[in-house]
Amino acid sequence: MVRRARKPGDPKVAIGYLRVSTDKQHLGPDAQKAAIEGWAAREGIHVAAWHADPDVSGGSELSDRPGLFAAIQAIRAHRAGVLAVSRRDRLARGVEVAIALERAIRSAGAVVAS
């Protein structure tokens, strides 16, 4: 069976994703959201939904990150073309995890923007 590539989502629609592993980080959820909102306003992008994983390590697998799993599902539901994070390390710390997540996001029809 040949698998079809998923049709890319709308590049002007984004899903916002926030992750904080501790409450002592200077880039807390409010700062992350403000950074994404500023970027979206400058680029003319609508953030259709927000998802977060508070108190979750960037090295955690997708199965341990319900907010990120929901964000990937929201990409499909909103036909979004972008998963927006304030910084790339909010998505993942480890290379292997980052590659796996980027593949999952791409297969949902989006790219990561930070």
Side-chain angles (χ1 to χ4, degrees), residues 75 80-84 88 102 105-106 109-113:
I75 290 168
V82 179
L83 177 73
R88 196 63 89 167
E102 295 230 13
I105 292 161
R106 194 173 28 246
V111 297
V112 175

Side-chain angles (χ1 to χ4, degrees), residues 7-36:
K7 182 178 178 183
D10 184 342
K12 291 296 185 179
V13 177
I15 302 301
Y17 175 69
L18 315 170
R19 185 190 62 77
V20 181
S21 55
T22 69
D23 31 334
K24 296 179 181 173
Q25 290 182 327
H26 75 281
L27 190 59
D30 293 338
Q32 290 178 45
K33 188 172 184 180
I36 293 168

Side-chain angles (χ1 to χ4, degrees), residues 4 10 14 16 31-32 38 41 45 48 60 72 80-81 88-89 95 97 104 107-108:
R4 282 189 185 187
D10 184 342
Q32 290 178 45
I45 294 175
S60 299
I72 293 170
R88 196 63 89 167
D89 69 353
V95 174
V97 174
S107 73

Side-chain angles (χ1 to χ4, degrees), residues 48-107:
W50 293 92
H51 296 277
D53 278 319
D55 300 322
V56 173
S57 168
S60 299
E61 297 293 330
L62 182 57
S63 60
D64 297 327
R65 298 170 72 176
L68 183 55
F69 182 78
I72 293 170
Q73 296 302 314
I75 290 168
R76 291 181 178 105
H78 293 278
R79 294 193 171 106
V82 179
L83 177 73
V85 293
S86 62
R87 289 190 345 207
R88 196 63 89 167
D89 69 353
R90 299 299 83 201
L91 185 61
R93 294 267 189 194
V95 174
E96 297 86 12
V97 174
I99 290 169
L101 290 174
E102 295 230 13
R103 282 184 182 146
I105 292 161
R106 194 173 28 246
S107 73

